[in-house]
Amino acid sequence: MVTRYMLGNEAIAHACCEADLDFASGYPGTPSSEVIDTLRIQKERDFYIEWSVNEKVALENALGASWTGVRCLVTMKHVGLNVAADPLMTSGYTGIKGGMVILSADDPYAHSSQNEQDSRNYAKFAKIICLDPANVQEAHDMMKISYELSEEFLLPVLFRPTTRICHSKSNVELSPSGEEHRTGQFEKNPAQYVVIPVHTRVLHKKLNEKQISLSKRLLELNLNFAEIRGKTAVIAGGIAAEYVKEIIPDDVSFAKIGAYPINREWLSEFVEKHEKVLVIEELSPVIEEETAQVACNAKIFGKINGCVPHEGELDQASVALAFEKAGIKSKKSFDGEIQPVTGLPPRPPILCAGCAHRATFYAMKKVFGKKAVYPSDIGCYTLGIQLGTVDTTICMGASITVGSGIAHSGDDSDVVCTIGDSTFLHTGIQGLLNAAYNGANMTVVILDNRITAMTGHQPNPNTGLTAKGEVSPVISIDSICRSCGVSFVETIDPYDLTAMLNTFKAAKETKGVKVVISRQPCVIAARRQGIKRRAFSVNTEACIGCGACVKFGCPAIEFYDEKASINELCSGCGVCADICPKGAITQEVSK
């Protein structure tokens, strides 16, 4: 046993190695990405690992491997579970053979997400176990328990850390990586794995029959426990339980929920011993609704009566406020909200200096204008909203489908949607196929930077490398688009402004679906690969201070004394030189 100071996601990954993991798949998504990233570079244990093209593919891959008897992990962020929901909902029916854990990381406060959905609801919906860690050590320990539970009940386990668990650091007690390696062997069993109606009806009954024994087992493992101290009680789950433990008075009972399903008989006995119960949890009132259903005389406080907020993250201060609203005096008092230091300059997220997406957005707007409708997608390029070229973003792959709908609506505006290469391969292809098949009139711009950049530069099939860095065939996005039925497919270099403007003009004048692939490696990834371009500088005598370059929005361009200047962030893309009407920006001469 060793103690190491580490990130929550690193602790989770190490626990998988301790639990004899043999197969891992996932799709990157904050806050879950570091789990696979840690596993693919660790040297303690060798096993199969992949970045899949989307979460549904990742889950089905893991399920198939599990049916051969090996232990599997599949990772994603909470919204990715929506993509994987189809196989998830049936995985409880078919069950598993080798232990299978589905890690779905929730993001209260939507730090980097489009919503704040709660994965616990999916576990209840699918009737599978859900473990909900309260701190980093518990995340590590629960991951190992997940595999034991999965194989004991022959069900996948949904493991639900939140952003504060994934991205917090703590001392964690670790055991050595496991040394057992299983070899998969698929045994045919159509009654279990072929979900035709005659089999499904039987499997559903068996799944239902497991529910009570499941909830009892979670109690035996002390994943859910309670202490009776008085006539008032607080029930908490996830990281909120840690906040409660810090401030709960000694004469107030406490129950912690770390796993689901909750045993209703146990919960009912606890609630009946109290006159008042406050339920503290982030996001959905999952525990609260269960508590309300078993409460006969106790008054329940929580989200439903306004004591606890439905949205965002909780902290000690907000939990103390909930105590106050419920008439419970907390151990600590918090005077008002913590305010940031005054005078700090705002730091909104922006595209990097030299990012090729910015040049593409500039050319798009130059050709299609403000009246065009710009549906976009999930990725770095969502930051194009600051350039006026992102009008909609809803979920992965929705730019083309939303754009297609607008194009067919009767609105005569140009429709120009943007989607990254990884997102196009994730769920964009079907939208393009549909748009071409049904004759939409729109331009699809694929921002091809050869990598999944926003989540940490993970490789995808367009990169030519696997998760382990092994060379793989580079797919042709051009050929995929043509196979979808698109005849206008052009690939451009976003650093060549003139050619880019001409291509967009041709697309604007052509009817039907047009695809423009704007290809240039991510500027950060290129720098790591040793690609260097000479920086640009401003001839202040030639600069007329028109501000055209500053409006481009590159953080490498500044403005002093009514003149432009270029700082050390310049990556040498040269687009600003093409924009300058006086030719005042030139590339520096090599020394």
Side-chain angles (χ1 to χ4, degrees):
M1 186 81 74
V2 297
T3 301
R4 195 182 302 169
Y5 185 65
M6 60 201 314
L7 194 71
N9 279 342
E10 294 172 341
I12 291 168
H14 199 279
C16 292
C17 292
E18 295 175 37
D20 294 321
L21 183 71
D22 274 315
F23 184 103
S25 57
Y27 187 82
T30 306
S32 71
S33 307
E34 295 87 359
V35 175
I36 293 286
D37 274 337
T38 301
L39 288 172
R40 68 192 182 101
I41 62 173
Q42 57 83 31
K43 305 294 184 188
E44 296 182 30
R45 182 178 174 81
D46 188 33
F47 53 87
Y48 179 81
I49 186 166
E50 69 171 44
W51 280 123
S52 308
V53 297
N54 67 34
E55 295 84 354
K56 179 177 185 288
V57 171
L59 194 149
E60 290 164 349
N61 265 318
L63 187 60
S66 168
W67 286 345
T68 71
V70 300
R71 284 191 163 181
C72 305
L73 171 73
V74 55
T75 73
M76 60 199 71
K77 67 183 299 178
H78 60 298
V79 289
L81 198 55
N82 300 332
V83 181
D86 201 351
L88 171 73
M89 297 308 298
T90 309
S91 64
Y93 286 54
T94 63
I96 55 86
K97 185 176 179 184
M100 177 173 169
V101 179
I102 303 165
L103 185 153
S104 176
D106 284 1
D107 188 21
Y109 193 64
H111 290 280
S112 55
S113 307
Q114 63 266 43
N115 69 31
E116 294 184 284
Q117 71 185 50
D118 191 325
S119 294
R120 292 177 299 169
N121 292 310
Y122 265 117
K124 183 177 181 180
F125 199 13
K127 300 178 180 177
I128 61 175
I129 303 165
C130 175
L131 298 192
D132 188 16
N135 55 52
V136 175
Q137 180 70 58
E138 197 169 271
H140 167 274
D141 299 344
M142 278 187 170
M143 177 54 80
K144 294 173 68 176
I145 295 171
S146 296
Y147 284 100
E148 296 167 9
L149 284 169
S150 178
E151 293 187 349
E152 181 178 348
F153 290 95
L154 300 178
L155 288 174
V157 170
L158 184 68
F159 187 78
R160 182 241 187 193
T162 56
T163 302
R164 291 290 164 183
I165 302 292
C166 295
H167 289 169
S168 292
K169 280 195 166 184
S170 168
N171 283 336
V172 183
E173 291 187 354
L174 306 173
S175 298
S177 292
E179 296 182 354
E180 178 191 341
H181 286 278
R182 301 179 186 177
T183 300
Q185 181 67 51
F186 182 77
E187 296 176 1
K188 295 186 179 185
N189 185 357
Q192 190 72 35
Y193 301 137
V194 183
V195 284
I196 57 176
V198 67
H199 297 160
T200 296
R201 296 175 194 123
V202 175
L203 295 172
H204 192 190
K205 184 175 176 61
K206 289 181 177 177
L207 178 60
N208 287 332
E209 288 171 349
K210 291 181 181 179
Q211 299 303 304
I212 293 178
S213 56
L214 270 177
S215 64
K216 289 182 177 176
R217 184 71 177 121
L218 301 178
L219 287 174
E220 291 169 0
L221 292 171
N222 213 31
L223 295 171
N224 296 333
F225 63 87
E227 295 178 36
I228 308 293
R229 302 168 181 164
K231 289 295 182 183
T232 298
V234 177
I235 305 176
I239 197 168
E242 293 294 293
Y243 305 142
V244 169
K245 285 162 64 179
E246 294 284 334
I247 64 171
I248 189 169
D250 295 335
D251 60 349
V252 174
S253 301
F254 175 58
K256 180 184 173 185
I257 306 298
Y260 306 81
I262 305 170
N263 185 276
R264 291 174 68 88
E265 187 178 347
W266 168 81
L267 183 64
S268 177
E269 287 179 5
F270 177 77
V271 173
E272 282 180 4
K273 291 182 172 65
H274 299 91
E275 298 169 353
K276 178 166 61 178
V277 177
L278 170 64
V279 183
I280 305 282
E281 58 192 318
E282 289 183 326
L283 301 182
S284 299
V286 175
I287 303 172
E288 185 177 344
E289 288 179 354
E290 295 263 356
T291 304
Q293 288 172 12
V294 299
C296 294
N297 300 313
K299 187 171 183 181
I300 308 302
F301 294 79
K303 296 176 185 290
I304 296 172
N305 70 354
C307 272
V308 180
H310 284 268
E311 311 85 13
E313 292 183 304
L314 299 176
D315 54 23
Q316 283 191 344
S318 58
V319 171
L321 182 60
F323 273 44
E324 183 181 334
K325 290 180 178 177
I328 304 172
K329 184 174 176 58
S330 62
K331 274 185 177 178
K332 294 181 182 178
S333 60
F334 299 87
D335 298 326
E337 294 184 8
I338 299 174
Q339 298 297 327
V341 176
T342 58
L344 291 176
R347 290 282 189 270
I350 59 173
L351 294 168
C352 300
C355 176
H357 298 344
R358 179 182 292 102
T360 307
F361 286 138
Y362 176 85
M364 280 168 45
K365 198 168 181 181
K366 195 84 174 172
V367 172
F368 292 97
K370 294 181 180 178
K371 188 175 181 299
V373 181
Y374 297 104
S376 192
D377 228 295
I378 306 291
C380 298
Y381 43 91
T382 312
L383 298 173
I385 190 172
Q386 297 166 355
L387 303 172
T389 49
V390 173
D391 290 324
T392 71
T393 300
I394 179 168
C395 64
M396 294 284 283
S399 59
I400 302 176
T401 40
V402 167
S404 176
I406 294 171
H408 283 299
S409 71
D411 188 322
D412 62 357
S413 304
D414 288 315
V415 176
V416 187
C417 64
T418 48
I419 185 169
D421 55 323
S422 182
T423 310
F424 178 69
L425 299 175
H426 179 279
T427 38
I429 295 173
Q430 296 88 340
L432 182 64
L433 179 66
N434 184 73
Y437 171 59
N438 290 296
N441 184 31
M442 61 190 296
T443 300
V444 177
V445 182
I446 300 176
L447 301 161
D448 178 5
N449 61 7
R450 322 295 288 177
I451 207 158
T452 312
M454 194 170 200
T455 51
H457 298 91
Q458 292 83 11
N460 63 52
N462 195 38
T463 309
L465 295 172
T466 67
K468 285 195 167 184
E470 297 162 349
V471 175
S472 65
V474 179
I475 55 95
S476 168
I477 290 180
D478 180 294
S479 297
I480 291 173
C481 294
R482 293 185 189 280
S483 297
C484 287
V486 182
S487 55
F488 184 108
V489 180
E490 296 289 339
T491 299
I492 58 173
D493 177 357
Y495 290 167
D496 184 346
L497 186 58
T498 302
M500 191 159 49
L501 290 169
N502 290 335
T503 302
F504 281 137
K505 287 176 184 174
K508 183 179 173 66
E509 293 167 359
T510 304
K511 294 295 183 184
V513 177
K514 294 82 59 175
V515 172
V516 178
I517 304 169
S518 180
R519 179 172 296 152
Q520 187 65 236
C522 165
V523 67
I524 295 176
R527 190 177 301 136
R528 290 173 179 169
Q529 294 165 8
I531 299 174
K532 293 183 178 178
R533 297 182 177 87
R534 283 183 285 125
F536 282 72
S537 60
V538 177
N539 179 348
T540 53
E541 292 186 1
C543 177
I544 59 173
C546 66
C549 57
V550 175
K551 292 175 184 173
F552 179 52
C554 178
I557 304 174
E558 299 173 335
F559 216 63
Y560 290 114
D561 296 332
E562 299 184 349
K563 299 283 186 179
S565 68
I566 294 179
N567 62 35
E568 70 281 0
L569 296 176
C570 179
S571 65
C573 75
V575 177
C576 57
D578 291 335
I579 293 172
C580 177
K582 293 297 181 181
I585 300 177
T586 56
Q587 198 163 27
E588 293 176 348
V589 178
S590 299
K591 295 178 181 178

